[in-house]
Amino acid sequence: MELILADNLILLRGLKGLTQEQAAEIAGVTRQSYSKWEQSETVPDIEKCDRLARHYGVTLDALLHDQNRVGHTALAPAPAGKHLWGAVTLGARGQIVIPKAAREMFDLKEGDRLIVLGDEGEGIALVKAEDFERKMQKALEMSQHPAEP
């Protein structure tokens, strides 16, 4: 656990552009104490971990346990409510296998229809067709009945 925590502290601090001194101030410790956490020499208490997790917008569990990688590249824990289930391989006809944890979280079953959305700058998203259609119908209804001033 110490190596995962240390790696996550380093990655999250780097993403926020903080120095060790600034991260230590957030945690309420000295820079030297904070440095020892990043070097896996010591481990912060739960209160300090919670402060850092809240500051970085990740769950305490993710800070302590998530060790995300894409290939050989280590990634910081995803923000609370976001998930990274790893990479999938695109088949010859464009098919992918959605990771089991993602299928379970979003209650995806064989035969479900998914809408494929894309943004050239951001990437691809999959949305359950029923949810997408329901939201589009609501948006259409709202556009036909403008709110009163």
Side-chain angles (χ1 to χ4, degrees):
M1 178 182 79
E2 289 94 13
L3 288 176
I4 294 171
L5 174 61
D7 287 347
N8 286 340
L9 289 174
I10 292 166
L11 289 167
L12 290 165
R13 182 174 60 80
L15 283 174
K16 288 284 188 176
L18 300 176
T19 64
Q20 282 188 341
E21 185 74 37
Q22 292 167 320
E25 188 175 315
I26 292 162
V29 296
T30 65
R31 188 206 54 80
Q32 291 82 0
S33 292
Y34 183 87
S35 178
K36 288 180 181 181
W37 299 344
E38 286 191 0
Q39 295 171 18
S40 291
E41 292 178 15
T42 61
V43 178
D45 66 39
I46 196 74
E47 179 186 334
K48 308 289 190 290
C49 286
D50 187 54
R51 283 186 200 164
L52 290 167
R54 286 175 188 262
H55 179 78
Y56 294 132
V58 301
T59 64
L60 188 56
D61 185 56
L63 181 65
L64 297 173
H65 299 112
D66 284 3
Q67 191 167 34
N68 296 321
R69 293 193 171 281
V70 173
H72 297 292
T73 304
L75 302 174
K82 308 290 183 190
H83 304 277
L84 174 66
W85 284 292
V88 296
T89 302
L90 192 63
R93 297 182 55 200
Q95 68 273 31
I96 62 169
V97 175
I98 298 171
K100 183 179 181 200
R103 292 190 316 265
E104 289 174 351
M105 175 169 283
F106 294 103
D107 193 31
L108 298 174
K109 297 178 180 66
E110 183 178 348
D112 282 351
R113 294 179 316 125
L114 301 174
I115 301 292
V116 180
L117 304 172
D119 179 305
E120 290 181 15
E122 296 295 323
I124 296 173
L126 301 174
V127 180
K128 274 188 160 181
E130 296 78 19
D131 294 342
F132 183 80
E133 290 163 354
R134 187 174 48 254
K135 289 176 182 178
M136 291 305 296
Q137 184 63 38
K138 185 175 180 177
L140 181 61
E141 289 170 7
M142 289 177 69
S143 71
Q144 293 173 351
H145 304 291
E148 295 182 23

